[in-house]
């Protein structure tokens, strides 16, 4: 399973490789270097990462960092397979607000693609339901929906070689095609 945390297994990412990195989304591994703060500590290796969609920063993180999720981004085949199974992914309905929010946070923190789809589907359904009931959409729901979409669509943009702002429409078309052929 390529979606696992390779860095926890000791395998290193390569220079130039695209990865998902906790808190930063899709990043390119620019370099693998010694400790950027303590130049005398050459034992500890660090990734030098550049966020792909936010060029403003460079990130240094230990190669064996188990506090941040780092994994290879999905490839085209994995992205297409995920889209093909979107209809089968269940929503998560949790009545208690604190537990619901914790579930959203955890899905976003793990960067697991299926969990992100699950959160997006849940929040879309919840948003539609609240609007139909004449209620306001909760700002916290909007925040988690935006973050989940941002992470998923950024990764899929790279995997499918399409602009990020076209990913949502691409997924909708593919899901519609599946409905027609069933």
């Amino acid at each position: 399973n390529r979606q696992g945390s390779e860095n926890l297994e000791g395998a290193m990412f390569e220079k130039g490789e695209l990865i998902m990195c906790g808190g930063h989304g899709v990043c390119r591994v620019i370099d693998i270097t010694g400790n950027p703060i303590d130049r005398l500590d050459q034992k500890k290796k660090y990734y030098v990462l550049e966020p792909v969609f936010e060029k403003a920063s460079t990130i240094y993180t230990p190669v064996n960092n188990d506090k941040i999720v780092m994994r290879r981004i999905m490839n085209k085949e994995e992205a297409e397979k995920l889209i093909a199974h979107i209809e089968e992914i269940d929503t998560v309905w949790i009545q208690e607000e604190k537990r619901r929010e914790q579930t959203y946070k955890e899905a976003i923190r793990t960067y697991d693609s299926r969990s992100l789809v699950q959160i997006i589907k849940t929040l879309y359904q919840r948003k539609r339901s609240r609007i139909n009931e004449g209620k306001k959409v909760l700002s916290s729901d909007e925040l988690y929906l935006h973050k989940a979409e941002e992470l998923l669509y950024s990764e899929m943009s790279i995997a499918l070689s399409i602009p990020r702002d076209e990913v949502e429409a691409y997924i909708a078309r593919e899901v519609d095609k599946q409905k027609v052929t069933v």
Side-chain angles (χ1 to χ4, degrees), residues 8-173:
L8 297 179
E9 299 165 11
M12 288 179 47
F13 301 116
E14 306 284 323
K15 264 170 100 167
E17 195 168 0
L18 291 168
I19 66 170
M20 290 298 285
C21 178
H24 305 285
V26 179
C27 293
R28 183 177 310 282
V29 178
I30 300 301
D31 201 2
I32 300 167
T33 185
N35 190 325
I37 296 159
D38 180 1
R39 301 271 182 219
L40 298 175
D41 173 18
Q42 291 305 307
K43 289 180 186 167
K44 200 170 192 179
K45 293 291 179 198
Y46 283 74
Y47 290 120
V48 181
L49 306 173
E50 179 183 72
V52 171
F53 294 102
E54 299 166 14
K55 296 280 186 198
S57 61
T58 301
I59 299 146
Y60 293 86
T61 187
V63 166
N64 60 354
N65 188 343
D66 59 359
K67 291 180 177 74
I68 296 176
V69 173
M70 287 187 282
R71 65 167 173 81
R72 287 179 171 84
I73 66 165
M74 66 178 94
N75 61 31
K76 184 175 183 177
E77 182 184 315
E78 290 165 332
E80 288 171 346
K81 187 176 177 182
L82 180 64
I83 292 168
H85 293 283
I86 278 180
E87 289 293 300
E88 300 163 20
I89 298 174
D90 291 328
T91 57
V92 196
W93 192 253
I94 300 167
Q95 194 65 38
E96 186 195 334
E97 192 170 338
K98 279 194 188 319
R99 264 193 49 234
R100 184 172 59 238
E101 194 167 327
Q102 192 57 43
T103 302
Y104 298 162
K105 279 181 184 174
E106 191 55 36
I108 288 168
R109 194 178 8 253
T110 62
Y111 280 26
D112 177 69
S113 308
R114 283 184 70 89
S115 296
L116 291 172
V117 168
Q118 191 173 44
I119 295 306
I120 291 167
K121 283 180 71 171
T122 299
L123 289 169
Y124 268 142
Q125 196 174 77
R126 194 168 145 77
K127 184 177 182 175
R128 231 183 0 254
S129 172
R130 289 187 68 86
I131 289 169
N132 289 343
E133 293 170 7
K135 295 179 180 175
K136 286 185 177 180
V137 177
L138 299 176
S139 60
S140 60
D141 284 0
E142 286 290 333
L143 179 78
Y144 290 113
L145 176 61
H146 176 73
K147 186 66 177 165
E149 286 176 328
E150 188 71 25
L151 292 171
L152 185 68
Y153 298 166
S154 295
E155 182 175 10
M156 287 196 151
S157 165
I158 304 277
L160 299 167
S161 302
I162 59 177
R164 184 170 57 172
D165 60 357
E166 293 177 20
V167 173
E168 186 175 6
Y170 176 87
I171 292 171
R173 280 194 308 274

